[in-house]
Amino acid sequence: MPVFGFTLSFALTHRLAVALALALAAGAAVCVYRAARREPVWGTLGALGLVCVAGALAAGTGQATSFFLPSLLLHAVMAVVSAVMLLLGWPPMGVVVGLITKEGTGWRRCRVRRRAFTKGNLVVFAGNLKMLAIQIPLFLSGQTVALGAVDVLGPIAIALSALLGWRVYRRVLGGHRCDRHDRMTVVTDPVVRREPLPGGDRRGRGARFADTATACAGEVHLEGPAGEHLVPAAAHRPVHRAPDAPTPAVE
């Protein structure tokens, strides 16, 4: 509402003082409305504080485009942080979903989900870059009304990119299912049984074994320091592999 009020009033009057006054009045009216309905106002107060900072920048520089500088810097910081987190293997979409579902960082233990979150987050990242590519030229050219219109439509564009990113995540995930809290445990787990196969020494490190449990489809088999296999403790259906048939003796 403050951005819309600022943009509309400046487009009609081209007077910075009037636009700033209407923007602050709109922000204060939203705070009063939420307080009257006994709704949380901390988010609204934070937005009003951001509007005050933007108004101070615009009043100090005398340029109406400076009102949108905090929003522009916020989008730039989000783009940089998203790029760094994607490079480090921590897609922000996965972090947000983990916080909402109270899963934490359990999704990182599954390679399939980690890859799906990364691809979905690339869509959101592309939308953020597109917003910056539109806002920066408008800011540098001093087109206040066009910049305000883009800023008003910004939340809608971000929401659409997030929805598209979630659809990409679901598509990449496909029919994959794994326990939310896959943990790597040694084969001493009671759901895992190892049987020696013919042709291997039972006591040697070179013995061959048939595992009666397999890991999640999105995980890899690991080997511990004592030569034991590491498999997820999630409840997967055991897959039995019959031992090789013995070769008949030839007299």
Side-chain angles (χ1 to χ4, degrees), residues 6 9 15 21 39 80 85 87 109 113 117 134 151 153 167 174 181 186 188 194 215 241 246:
F6 178 88
S9 59
R15 298 181 61 181
E39 296 178 354
V80 173
M85 294 184 69
L87 291 176
R109 299 186 180 96
R113 295 185 65 199
F117 274 127
I134 297 175
D151 204 358
L153 297 177
R167 290 179 62 88
H181 299 287
V186 296
T188 54
R194 306 186 68 190
R241 293 198 297 271

Side-chain angles (χ1 to χ4, degrees), residues 89-233:
W90 288 84
M93 179 183 290
V95 176
V96 172
V97 172
L99 292 175
I100 294 176
T101 61
K102 301 186 183 305
E103 179 186 3
T105 59
W107 55 271
R108 296 197 73 250
R109 299 186 180 96
C110 180
R111 185 180 58 183
V112 175
R113 295 185 65 199
R114 190 166 61 246
R115 183 173 64 249
F117 274 127
T118 300
K119 291 186 176 181
N121 211 146
L122 287 175
V123 178
V124 183
F125 180 66
N128 196 4
L129 291 181
K130 186 65 175 179
M131 286 289 298
L132 285 174
I134 297 175
Q135 286 178 313
I136 292 177
L138 293 176
F139 179 81
L140 296 178
S141 60
Q143 301 184 35
T144 304
V145 178
L147 186 59
V150 173
D151 204 358
V152 169
L153 297 177
I156 301 177
I158 293 176
L160 290 176
S161 63
L163 178 61
L164 182 59
W166 181 254
R167 290 179 62 88
V168 170
Y169 163 78
R170 298 295 300 175
R171 186 177 182 85
V172 174
L173 194 64
H176 176 75
R177 295 292 184 272
C178 64
D179 187 16
R180 179 175 295 180
H181 299 287
D182 282 335
R183 293 175 296 178
M184 305 306 294
T185 58
V186 296
V187 294
T188 54
D189 191 284
V191 300
V192 179
R193 179 167 51 90
R194 306 186 68 190
E195 299 175 354
L197 296 178
D201 184 6
R202 293 174 181 265
R203 294 171 298 176
R205 291 292 299 274
R208 296 184 297 152
F209 294 89
D211 297 337
T212 61
T214 59
C216 170
E219 299 294 338
V220 295
H221 291 277
L222 304 177
E223 185 174 342
E228 69 273 15
H229 285 287
L230 301 178
V231 298

